[in-house]
Amino acid sequence: MLITLCYLYLWARWGHGPAALVRTTVQQLRASRCSFTFCRATAQPRGARVCLSRGGRVFCVGESQSIDDLNKWALFLVSPFILEAEHIAFVTESIWVQGDTLQRPSSSSETIVKWSDCCLPLACRPGDPYQLIARASVDDFSKLGVAFLEDRLQVANGLIPQKIVSVHLHDSALKELKDQASDTPAQLLEPQPEPSVEGKPELEAMEHVGREDHQVLGSAPTPGQGGAPGGEPAGESDRGVGSVEHCHLHLSSCHECLELENSTIESVKFASAEDIPDLPYDYSSGLEGIAHDLCPKREQRRVNLTGKAPNILLYVGSDSQDALDRLQQVQSALADCVDTNCYTLYHLPLESALRDPWPDNCLLVVIATRESIPEDLSRRFMAYLSQGGKVLGLSSPFTLAGFQVTRKAALQDTVQSLVFCKADWSQVRLSVLSSGCVYEGGPGEPLSLGKLQGHLDNKDEDRLIVQVPFGTRGGEAVLCQVHLELPPSSPVVQTQEDFNLLKSSNFRRYEVLKEILTTLGLSCDAKHVPALTPLYLLSAAEEIRDPLMQWLGKHVDAEGVIKSSKLSLKFVSSYTSEIEVTPSAIPVVTDIETFSSENFNFEIYQQNLQTKKLGKVILFAEVTTTTMSLLDGLMFEMPQEMGLIAIAVHQTQGKGRGRNAWLSPVGCALSTLLVSIPLRSQLGQRIPFVQHLMSLAVVEAVRSIPGYQDINLRVKWPNDIYYSDLMKLGGVLVNSTLMGETFHILIGCGFNVTNSNPTICINDLITEYNKQHGAELKPLRADYLIARSVTVLEKLIDTFQDEGPNGVLPLYYKYWLHRLRMCRLRGRGSRAQPLRGM
């Protein structure tokens, strides 16, 4: 009530001045560490109090929002004086809109407030929405907020602000920012004068540079090392807007000058885009080498100093269904190669490609249309290249002077053998799907070729991939007549033999695509490791729940913890972000009502788990290091009838046999099952059979489903799960400990269900089977197959205990990869000797 009265007083005192109201509210309440939010009324944070409402937008005050981890943010080069006491840190969320939907500030140009004039960016996280962390004084923060409320706030690069919210940066986040600053040496650029686009904007930019508080504007980082290639040394750049006196504390003045000119030119284009004609490209004028490597190695991050938004634009021609399907295919292929936390993929429609100022808003244009390209659009692509742009052509008629696209009908949509030469001159041989076109010499002066080349392994050595540097400013195109964007399961692939060839080369297809994207200046480094998540304790049977909780109550310590040699499990009723999750200390949430997961449907698991005891008590994690360690503190203590299993969606340190790692992306069925086997039993006397039973259980779990009996899934000695005899899609790892008269066995199992890349998955086999046989088998889920596999395993163990090896060997040989083949028996360690030789 008191706060509400304060708001009413402020409104009465400052009612005719929203800026004064906002500024006074921020000044008086910021010490309380509350959070100030400017947003649309429909997006008002829950529980926040509205202080001011204007035109469907609100200024409100709510609970403190904080940021303690910048691992998923890309940091800018900033001053070591990161966040002074009187400054406010805040996050701006924006979207990037094209064409007629682009919303420009409604007020006149005299009242427009540029976001970059009022703050210093600290970090960004591309995506939808595009997020920027920045800092500003109380006055500038208030100015930004009021401009947002009055719809006169402009963000560079065509971004439309949707929300501004103040945040508290924890010490760990501040330390990371300061480390970034202290690790980065000062880089200065002496800009050279250049005729301005329009006198007044250049003068405004000059005045802005002269301000005491220099800004680092809108750079968008990408992961990896170094900046975009192809530029001249920074000292030779001609992007400057005039002579500027540099501040010795400012670490990236060169970048500031480049960005100031970019934003100035961009504001002119947006102010009167319809009045600015497209300029013909010119080989000898314009901007040289704006990209220069100014960033030292630091945690595999790359700082983008080109001044462009980290956008990848995809042009697929018309808006036909075929083009939209191709758009989805290209998006999927690129998303598997680059980190989508650092790059944003956008569709570039034909109308926008002809009209909008996209060349200043992207790092790469992908041309993936089979249609002829309009002449005016082709000129625009050439102008973009001449200004240092990068182009990737995928089975497109787009080409450059000195080359022509020639159709060879015999090659169309056929699988061919390609020899690809990488930038280091090494070669990759792979099977590819040809578009039916090749590159040959054409009219015009031939251009020099880059190192990337790809030709067919045939008599003519038909050229299917060429790298063509363009102009004098680092422009570059890689043109392909290979369907690098299509998966082996594409409808274009007609035969089982072609599918097998392409699937066997699928990993190398991505290797080639990543090599091309890296050459064009993008980073294809490993994606950020996702943060670990808490465990959830679930019970598949209601009758187990109460005994389970009673057992826990007797075995946890005073703090609710069970410790083992590898990790500590802290059992809690609910999880909050303040509870830390580390590889050695993991919270376990016991309240089943709070559980939900997009990737694991607990009801489906329950319905399909038909066991007496195995798999009844589940420790579930969205992200964990490895499921093999989760049961360590419970495996010797918990009653056997409770049937422990650990299930994860994603593992960051998956384990294979020996020292092998196991890649564990989303879509892989990942579990570790606890099984207890009496020493004095049929299986206890032949304990190595456990790994064979588990791999057999996975295959039988799929092939025993009505209609799925012909899915070509097989077991390979000793512990692998294979597609035919071609590719591995799963494996088993067994650790056993004998205590007294009982083997305590952890059976780790992982197999690909929905993740087609980088090799193959079960749903790929189903899709191909449907295509070859005209069937309509439905794709399968990981949760469903984990439950079925555990069910089958329990039956196999019971059969083995009753009948010995002869009870299970017929089924094993039915699915054995080497069935009906001549096998050479070798000594110990052979991977091809039959089971009866054990």
Side-chain angles (χ1 to χ4, degrees), residues 32-75:
S32 65
R33 279 209 177 165
C34 55
S35 186
F36 307 103
T37 302
F38 302 88
C39 62
R40 299 184 185 277
T42 55
Q44 177 185 336
R46 182 180 299 177
R49 294 179 177 272
V50 175
C51 305
L52 181 62
S53 177
R54 293 177 73 88
R57 303 185 180 201
V58 296
F59 165 54
C60 49
V61 180
E63 294 183 1
S64 175
Q65 305 293 317
S66 62
I67 295 178
D68 58 0
D69 184 5
L70 291 175
N71 283 332
K72 294 185 179 180
W73 295 78
L75 310 183

Side-chain angles (χ1 to χ4, degrees), residues 562-569 583-585 628-629 631-636:
I562 292 179
K563 294 183 179 180
S564 71
S565 60
K566 294 182 179 178
L567 80 166
S568 298
L569 300 178
S584 60
M628 289 296 288
S629 64
L631 305 184
D632 186 60
L634 303 173
M635 61 183 294
F636 304 123

Side-chain angles (χ1 to χ4, degrees), residues 290-301:
I290 59 173
H292 182 57
D293 187 357
L294 299 180
C295 181
K297 295 180 181 178
R298 183 179 184 271
E299 296 184 2
Q300 301 296 316
R301 294 187 181 180

